[in-house]
Coordinates of all heavy atoms in Angstrom, one line a residue:
Chain A
D1641 N 110.7 94.3 148.7 CA 111.5 94.5 149.8 C 111.2 93.5 150.8 O 110.2 93.4 151.5 CB 111.1 96.0 150.5 CG 112.0 96.4 151.6 OD1 113.0 95.6 151.9 OD2 111.7 97.4 152.2
G1642 N 112.1 92.6 151.0 CA 111.9 91.5 151.9 C 110.9 90.5 151.4 O 110.4 90.6 150.2
T1643 N 110.4 89.6 152.2 CA 109.5 88.6 151.7 C 108.1 89.1 151.9 O 107.2 88.5 151.2 CB 109.7 87.2 152.5 OG1 109.6 87.6 153.9 CG2 110.9 86.5 152.2
A1644 N 107.8 90.2 152.6 CA 106.5 90.5 152.9 C 106.0 91.8 152.2 O 104.9 92.1 152.3 CB 106.3 90.7 154.4
K1645 N 106.9 92.4 151.5 CA 106.5 93.6 150.7 C 106.8 93.5 149.3 O 107.9 93.4 148.8 CB 107.3 94.8 151.4 CG 106.9 95.3 152.7 CD 107.7 96.5 153.1 CE 107.3 97.1 154.4 NZ 108.2 98.2 154.8
Q1646 N 105.8 93.6 148.5 CA 105.9 93.5 147.1 C 104.9 94.3 146.4 O 103.9 94.6 146.9 CB 105.6 92.0 146.6 CG 106.6 91.1 146.9 CD 106.0 89.7 147.3 OE1 104.8 89.5 147.2 NE2 106.9 88.8 147.8
R1647 N 105.3 94.8 145.2 CA 104.4 95.5 144.4 C 104.7 95.2 143.0 O 105.9 95.3 142.5 CB 104.6 97.1 144.6 CG 103.6 97.9 143.8 CD 103.4 99.3 144.2 NE 102.4 99.9 143.6 CZ 101.7 101.1 144.1 NH1 102.1 101.6 145.2 NH2 100.8 101.6 143.4
V1648 N 103.7 94.9 142.3 CA 103.9 94.6 140.8 C 102.9 95.4 140.2 O 101.7 95.6 140.4 CB 103.5 93.1 140.5 CG1 103.6 92.8 139.0 CG2 104.4 92.2 141.3
Q1649 N 103.5 96.2 139.2 CA 102.6 97.1 138.3 C 102.7 96.6 136.9 O 103.7 96.7 136.3 CB 103.1 98.5 138.4 CG 103.3 99.1 139.8 CD 103.8 100.5 139.8 OE1 104.7 100.8 139.1 NE2 103.2 101.3 140.5
V1650 N 101.5 96.1 136.4 CA 101.5 95.8 135.0 C 101.1 97.1 134.3 O 100.0 97.6 134.4 CB 100.4 94.7 134.8 CG1 100.4 94.3 133.3 CG2 100.7 93.5 135.6
L1651 N 102.1 97.5 133.3 CA 101.8 98.7 132.6 C 101.0 98.5 131.3 O 101.6 98.0 130.4 CB 103.2 99.4 132.4 CG 104.2 99.4 133.5 CD1 105.4 100.1 133.1 CD2 103.6 100.2 134.7
D1652 N 99.8 98.9 131.3 CA 99.1 98.9 130.1 C 99.1 100.2 129.4 O 99.5 101.2 130.1 CB 97.7 98.5 130.4 CG 97.5 97.1 131.1 OD1 98.3 96.3 130.6 OD2 96.8 97.0 132.0
R1653 N 98.6 100.4 128.2 CA 98.5 101.6 127.7 C 97.4 102.4 128.4 O 96.2 102.0 128.5 CB 98.1 101.5 126.1 CG 99.3 101.7 125.3 CD 98.9 101.9 123.9 NE 99.9 102.5 123.1 CZ 99.9 102.8 121.9 NH1 98.7 102.7 121.2 NH2 100.9 103.3 121.2
M1654 N 97.8 103.6 128.9 CA 96.8 104.5 129.6 C 96.2 103.8 130.8 O 95.1 104.2 131.2 CB 95.7 105.0 128.6 CG 96.2 105.9 127.6 SD 96.8 107.4 128.2 CE 98.0 107.9 126.9
A1655 N 96.7 102.7 131.2 CA 96.1 102.1 132.4 C 97.2 101.2 133.0 O 98.3 101.1 132.7 CB 94.9 101.0 131.9
E1656 N 96.8 100.8 134.2 CA 97.7 100.0 135.1 C 97.0 99.0 136.0 O 95.9 99.4 136.5 CB 98.6 101.0 135.9 CG 99.8 100.4 136.6 CD 100.7 101.4 137.1 OE1 101.1 102.4 136.5 OE2 101.0 101.3 138.4
R1657 N 97.6 97.9 136.2 CA 97.0 97.1 137.2 C 98.1 96.8 138.3 O 99.2 96.6 138.0 CB 96.7 95.7 136.6 CG 95.4 95.8 135.9 CD 95.2 94.6 134.9 NE 96.1 94.8 133.8 CZ 96.5 93.6 133.0 NH1 96.2 92.5 133.4 NH2 97.3 93.8 132.1
D1658 N 97.7 97.1 139.5 CA 98.7 97.0 140.6 C 98.4 95.9 141.6 O 97.2 95.6 141.9 CB 98.6 98.3 141.4 CG 99.6 99.3 140.7 OD1 99.5 99.6 139.6 OD2 100.4 99.8 141.5
L1659 N 99.4 95.3 142.0 CA 99.3 94.3 143.1 C 100.2 94.8 144.2 O 101.4 94.9 144.0 CB 99.7 92.9 142.7 CG 99.5 91.9 143.6 CD1 99.1 90.6 142.9 CD2 100.8 91.6 144.4
V1660 N 99.7 95.2 145.4 CA 100.5 95.7 146.5 C 100.4 94.7 147.6 O 99.3 94.5 148.1 CB 100.1 97.1 146.9 CG1 101.1 97.7 147.8 CG2 99.9 98.0 145.6
R1661 N 101.5 94.2 148.1 CA 101.4 93.4 149.2 C 102.3 93.9 150.4 O 103.4 94.3 150.1 CB 101.8 92.0 148.9 CG 101.7 91.1 150.0 CD 102.3 89.7 149.8 NE 102.5 89.0 151.1 CZ 103.3 88.0 151.3 NH1 103.9 87.5 150.3 NH2 103.4 87.4 152.5
N1662 N 101.7 94.2 151.5 CA 102.5 94.6 152.7 C 102.1 93.8 153.8 O 100.9 93.9 154.4 CB 102.1 96.1 152.9 CG 103.0 96.8 153.8 OD1 103.9 96.1 154.4 ND2 103.0 98.1 153.9
G1663 N 103.0 92.9 154.2 CA 102.6 92.0 155.2 C 101.5 91.1 154.8 O 101.6 90.4 153.8
S1664 N 100.5 91.1 155.6 CA 99.4 90.1 155.2 C 98.3 90.9 154.4 O 97.3 90.2 154.0 CB 98.7 89.5 156.5 OG 98.3 90.6 157.3
D1665 N 98.5 92.1 154.1 CA 97.5 92.8 153.4 C 97.9 92.8 151.9 O 98.9 93.0 151.5 CB 97.5 94.3 153.8 CG 96.7 94.5 155.0 OD1 95.8 93.9 155.4 OD2 97.3 95.5 155.9
V1666 N 96.8 92.5 151.1 CA 97.2 92.4 149.6 C 96.0 93.2 149.0 O 94.8 93.1 149.2 CB 97.1 90.9 149.1 CG1 97.2 91.0 147.6 CG2 98.1 90.1 149.8
W1667 N 96.5 94.1 148.2 CA 95.5 95.0 147.4 C 95.7 94.8 146.0 O 96.9 94.7 145.4 CB 95.9 96.5 147.7 CG 95.4 97.1 148.9 CD1 96.0 97.3 150.1 CD2 94.0 97.5 149.2 NE1 95.2 97.8 151.0 CE2 94.0 97.9 150.5 CE3 92.8 97.6 148.3 CZ2 92.8 98.4 151.1 CZ3 91.7 98.1 149.0 CH2 91.7 98.4 150.3
L1668 N 94.7 94.7 145.2 CA 94.7 94.5 143.8 C 93.9 95.8 143.3 O 92.8 96.0 143.6 CB 93.9 93.3 143.3 CG 94.8 92.0 143.3 CD1 93.8 90.8 143.2 CD2 95.7 92.1 142.1
Y1669 N 94.7 96.6 142.4 CA 94.0 97.7 142.0 C 94.0 97.7 140.4 O 95.0 97.4 139.8 CB 94.7 99.0 142.5 CG 94.1 100.3 142.0 CD1 92.9 100.8 142.4 CD2 94.8 101.0 141.0 CE1 92.3 101.9 141.9 CE2 94.2 102.2 140.5 CZ 93.0 102.6 141.0 OH 92.5 103.7 140.4
D1670 N 92.9 98.0 139.9 CA 92.8 98.1 138.4 C 92.4 99.6 138.0 O 91.2 99.9 138.4 CB 91.7 97.1 138.0 CG 91.7 96.9 136.4 OD1 91.9 98.0 135.7 OD2 91.6 95.9 135.9
S1671 N 93.2 100.3 137.4 CA 93.0 101.7 137.1 C 91.9 101.8 136.0 O 91.2 102.8 136.0 CB 94.1 102.4 136.6 OG 94.5 102.1 135.3
K1672 N 91.7 100.8 135.3 CA 90.7 100.9 134.2 C 89.2 100.7 134.6 O 88.4 101.5 134.4 CB 91.0 99.8 133.1 CG 90.4 100.2 131.7 CD 91.0 99.2 130.7 CE 90.7 99.7 129.3 NZ 91.4 101.0 129.0
K1673 N 89.1 99.6 135.5 CA 87.8 99.3 136.1 C 87.5 100.1 137.3 O 86.5 100.2 137.8 CB 87.7 97.8 136.5 CG 87.8 96.9 135.2 CD 87.7 95.5 135.7 CE 88.1 94.5 134.6 NZ 88.7 93.2 135.2
K1674 N 88.6 100.8 137.9 CA 88.5 101.5 139.1 C 88.1 100.7 140.2 O 87.1 101.0 141.0 CB 87.4 102.7 139.0 CG 87.8 103.7 138.0 CD 88.2 105.0 138.8 CE 89.1 105.9 138.1 NZ 90.2 105.1 137.4
T1675 N 88.6 99.5 140.4 CA 88.3 98.6 141.4 C 89.5 98.4 142.3 O 90.7 98.3 141.8 CB 87.8 97.2 140.9 OG1 88.7 96.8 139.9 CG2 86.4 97.4 140.2
A1676 N 89.3 98.3 143.6 CA 90.4 97.9 144.5 C 89.9 96.7 145.2 O 88.8 96.8 145.9 CB 90.7 99.0 145.4
V1677 N 90.6 95.6 145.3 CA 90.3 94.4 146.0 C 91.2 94.2 147.0 O 92.4 94.1 146.9 CB 90.1 93.2 145.1 CG1 89.7 92.0 145.9 CG2 89.2 93.5 143.9
H1678 N 90.7 94.1 148.4 CA 91.6 94.0 149.5 C 91.4 92.6 150.0 O 90.3 92.0 150.1 CB 91.2 94.8 150.6 CG 92.0 94.7 151.8 ND1 91.5 94.3 153.0 CD2 93.5 94.8 152.0 CE1 92.5 94.1 153.9 NE2 93.7 94.5 153.3
S1679 N 92.4 91.8 150.3 CA 92.4 90.5 150.9 C 93.4 90.4 151.9 O 94.5 91.1 151.9 CB 92.5 89.4 149.8 OG 93.7 89.6 149.1
T1680 N 93.3 89.5 152.8 CA 94.2 89.3 153.8 C 94.8 87.8 153.7 O 93.9 86.9 153.6 CB 93.6 89.3 155.3 OG1 92.8 90.5 155.2 CG2 94.6 89.5 156.3
L1681 N 96.0 87.7 153.7 CA 96.6 86.4 153.6 C 96.5 85.7 154.9 O 96.8 86.3 156.0 CB 98.1 86.5 153.1 CG 98.4 87.0 151.7 CD1 99.9 87.0 151.5 CD2 97.7 86.0 150.8
G1682 N 96.2 84.4 155.0 CA 96.1 83.6 156.1 C 97.5 83.5 156.7 O 98.5 83.7 156.0
E1683 N 97.6 83.1 158.0 CA 98.9 82.9 158.7 C 99.8 81.9 157.9 O 100.9 82.1 157.8 CB 98.6 82.4 160.1 CG 98.1 83.4 161.1 CD 99.2 84.4 161.4 OE1 100.4 84.2 161.4 OE2 98.8 85.6 161.4
R1684 N 99.1 80.9 157.4 CA 99.8 79.8 156.8 C 100.5 80.3 155.5 O 101.6 79.9 155.1 CB 98.8 78.7 156.4 CG 99.4 77.4 156.2 CD 98.4 76.3 156.3 NE 97.2 76.6 155.6 CZ 97.0 76.6 154.3 NH1 97.9 76.1 153.6 NH2 95.9 77.0 153.8
A1685 N 99.8 81.2 154.8 CA 100.3 81.7 153.5 C 101.5 82.7 153.7 O 102.2 82.9 152.7 CB 99.1 82.2 152.8
L1686 N 101.5 83.2 154.9 CA 102.4 84.3 155.0 C 103.9 83.9 154.7 O 104.3 82.8 155.2 CB 102.4 84.9 156.5 CG 101.6 86.2 156.6 CD1 101.7 86.6 158.1 CD2 102.1 87.3 155.8
G1687 N 104.6 84.7 153.8 CA 106.0 84.4 153.7 C 106.2 83.2 152.7 O 107.3 83.4 152.0
T1688 N 105.3 82.4 152.4 CA 105.6 81.4 151.4 C 104.9 81.7 150.2 O 105.6 81.7 149.2 CB 105.1 80.1 152.0 OG1 103.7 80.2 152.4 CG2 105.9 79.6 153.2
S1689 N 103.6 81.9 150.2 CA 102.9 82.1 149.0 C 103.2 83.4 148.4 O 103.4 84.4 149.1 CB 101.4 81.9 149.1 OG 100.9 83.1 149.5
K1690 N 103.2 83.5 147.0 CA 103.3 84.7 146.3 C 102.0 85.1 145.7 O 101.3 84.3 145.2 CB 104.3 84.6 145.3 CG 105.7 84.5 145.9 CD 106.8 84.8 145.0 CE 108.2 84.9 145.8 NZ 109.3 84.4 145.1
P1691 N 101.4 86.4 145.9 CA 100.2 86.6 145.4 C 100.3 86.5 143.9 O 101.3 86.8 143.2 CB 99.9 88.1 145.8 CG 101.1 88.5 146.6 CD 102.2 87.4 146.5
E1692 N 99.2 86.0 143.3 CA 99.2 85.8 141.8 C 99.2 87.1 141.1 O 98.3 87.8 141.1 CB 98.2 84.8 141.3 CG 96.8 85.4 141.4 CD 96.0 85.1 142.7 OE1 96.7 85.1 143.8 OE2 94.8 84.9 142.6
G1693 N 100.4 87.3 140.4 CA 100.5 88.5 139.5 C 100.2 88.0 138.1 O 100.2 86.8 137.9
S1694 N 99.9 88.9 137.2 CA 99.6 88.4 135.9 C 100.9 88.1 135.1 O 100.8 87.6 134.1 CB 98.8 89.4 135.2 OG 98.9 90.7 135.6
I1695 N 102.0 88.6 135.6 CA 103.3 88.3 134.9 C 104.2 87.5 135.8 O 104.4 88.0 137.0 CB 104.0 89.5 134.4 CG1 103.2 90.1 133.2 CG2 105.4 89.2 133.9 CD1 103.9 91.3 132.6
P1696 N 104.7 86.3 135.6 CA 105.5 85.6 136.4 C 106.9 86.3 136.4 O 107.3 86.7 135.3 CB 105.5 84.2 135.8 CG 105.2 84.4 134.4 CD 104.4 85.6 134.2
T1697 N 107.5 86.4 137.5 CA 108.8 87.0 137.5 C 109.8 85.9 137.1 O 109.5 84.7 137.2 CB 109.3 87.5 139.0 OG1 109.1 86.4 139.9 CG2 108.3 88.6 139.3
P1698 N 111.0 86.2 136.6 CA 111.9 85.2 136.2 C 112.3 84.2 137.3 O 112.4 83.0 136.9 CB 113.2 86.0 135.7 CG 112.6 87.4 135.4 CD 111.5 87.6 136.3
D1699 N 112.4 84.7 138.5 CA 112.8 83.7 139.6 C 111.8 82.8 139.8 O 112.0 81.6 140.2 CB 113.4 84.6 140.8 CG 112.4 85.5 141.3 OD1 111.6 86.1 140.5 OD2 112.3 85.7 142.5
Q1700 N 110.5 83.3 139.8 CA 109.3 82.3 140.1 C 109.3 81.3 139.0 O 109.2 80.1 139.2 CB 108.0 83.1 140.1 CG 107.7 83.9 141.3 CD 106.6 84.9 141.1 OE1 106.0 84.9 140.1 NE2 106.3 85.6 142.2
L1701 N 109.5 81.7 137.8 CA 109.3 80.8 136.7 C 110.6 79.9 136.6 O 110.4 78.6 136.4 CB 109.3 81.6 135.3 CG 108.9 80.9 134.1 CD1 107.5 80.3 134.2 CD2 109.0 81.9 132.9
A1702 N 111.7 80.4 136.9 CA 112.9 79.5 136.9 C 112.7 78.5 138.1 O 113.2 77.3 137.9 CB 114.2 80.4 137.3
A1703 N 112.2 78.9 139.2 CA 112.0 77.9 140.3 C 111.1 76.8 139.9 O 111.4 75.6 140.2 CB 111.5 78.7 141.5
T1704 N 110.0 77.2 139.2 CA 109.1 76.1 138.8 C 109.9 75.2 137.8 O 109.6 74.0 137.8 CB 107.8 76.7 138.0 OG1 107.6 77.9 138.8 CG2 106.7 75.8 138.0
L1705 N 110.6 75.8 136.8 CA 111.2 75.0 135.8 C 112.3 74.1 136.4 O 112.4 72.9 136.0 CB 111.7 75.9 134.7 CG 110.7 76.6 133.8 CD1 111.4 77.6 133.0 CD2 110.2 75.6 132.9
L1706 N 113.0 74.6 137.3 CA 114.2 73.8 137.9 C 113.7 72.7 138.8 O 114.4 71.8 139.0 CB 115.0 74.8 138.8 CG 115.9 75.8 137.9 CD1 116.6 76.8 138.8 CD2 116.9 75.0 137.0
K1707 N 112.4 72.9 139.3 CA 111.8 71.7 139.9 C 111.7 70.5 139.1 O 111.8 69.4 139.6 CB 110.5 72.1 140.5 CG 110.4 72.4 142.0 CD 108.9 72.6 142.4 CE 108.8 73.9 143.1 NZ 107.5 74.4 143.1
S1708 N 111.5 70.7 137.8 CA 111.3 69.6 136.9 C 112.6 69.1 136.4 O 112.6 68.2 135.5 CB 110.3 70.0 135.9 OG 110.6 71.1 135.3
V1709 N 113.7 69.7 136.8 CA 115.0 69.1 136.5 C 115.3 67.8 137.0 O 115.3 67.7 138.2 CB 116.1 70.1 136.8 CG1 117.5 69.4 136.5 CG2 116.0 71.3 135.9

Side-chain angles (χ1 to χ4, degrees):
Chain A
D1641 183 8
T1643 48
K1645 284 184 178 175
Q1646 286 142 8
R1647 180 161 192 165
V1648 180
Q1649 303 180 316
V1650 182
L1651 310 182
D1652 300 320
R1653 259 197 163 183
M1654 295 289 155
E1656 187 170 312
R1657 281 163 289 155
D1658 271 54
L1659 183 146
V1660 190
R1661 182 185 165 197
N1662 195 349
S1664 58
D1665 284 325
V1666 178
W1667 281 99
L1668 273 167
Y1669 177 72
D1670 188 325
S1671 81
K1672 204 171 192 63
K1673 294 184 198 148
K1674 293 253 154 316
T1675 54
V1677 179
H1678 178 247
S1679 57
T1680 315
L1681 288 179
E1683 283 295 319
R1684 200 164 42 83
L1686 259 182
T1688 52
S1689 87
K1690 293 200 166 137
E1692 68 270 31
S1694 32
I1695 290 187
T1697 60
D1699 55 326
Q1700 288 166 359
L1701 194 59
T1704 321
L1705 288 164
L1706 289 173
K1707 254 186 234 163
S1708 47
V1709 168

